[in-house]
Amino acid sequence: MLKPDTFSRKKAYVNAPEQFLLFLEELIRGRFGNIIRAKGLIPAGGCALRFDMADGRYSVRLEDPDSAVQETDQNAVAVFIGHRIAKQAIRRVIHQKNIAQRGKIRFTAAANQR
């Protein structure tokens, strides 16, 4: 039996929560490889989502924006475990913040009210 591969995206983000939910649906259907487990905390638009995927099911929890501000800036990561992970395809959906993008996404209560 082959040992599973792992792939992670640090400082990860997606543009919108809806985009991330569609990604999770495609993930459990095998579009990004045979992913056995995935989890993380990821900014999505003006909110932060904590997700967990295993056994063809996923759960997503909306984090409190006030407490998530510091945590997402420090720990925004998505981790994938499986076989034949389509890393390039995942990179096209889950972006990685760089210093130039740092001010682009803000996690504040005001951002959630827009």
Side-chain angles (χ1 to χ4, degrees):
M1 186 175 215
L2 291 174
K3 183 180 175 186
D5 190 17
T6 62
F7 174 63
S8 64
R9 296 286 283 167
K10 294 181 181 178
K11 299 179 184 176
Y13 76 94
V14 293
N15 294 323
E18 301 84 2
Q19 176 190 18
F20 188 67
L21 293 175
L22 290 173
F23 167 76
L24 288 175
E25 285 291 326
E26 292 177 327
L27 190 70
I28 63 173
R29 288 176 171 74
R31 179 167 181 257
F32 300 98
N34 182 17
I35 308 297
I36 339 176
R37 181 107 162 96
K39 65 187 298 184
L41 175 67
I42 189 163
C47 62
L49 305 174
R50 187 172 302 279
F51 73 98
D52 197 348
M53 192 283 296
D55 299 323
R57 296 179 182 175
Y58 63 85
S59 66
V60 179
R61 188 174 73 218
L62 180 63
E63 292 293 302
D64 176 43
D66 294 331
S67 66
V69 173
Q70 251 182 342
E71 188 176 0
T72 51
D73 275 352
Q74 307 275 324
N75 303 316
V77 65
V79 179
F80 305 91
I81 302 169
H83 302 281
R84 298 179 315 279
I85 300 173
K87 296 174 185 175
Q88 283 301 103
I90 292 172
R91 284 184 184 108
R92 284 192 285 275
V93 177
I94 299 181
H95 310 290
Q96 202 163 17
K97 267 195 219 182
N98 62 32
I99 293 171
Q101 296 170 313
R102 183 134 176 84
K104 186 176 175 182
I105 299 174
R106 288 279 124 216
F107 302 99
T108 62
N112 284 336
Q113 293 174 355
R114 288 184 207 169

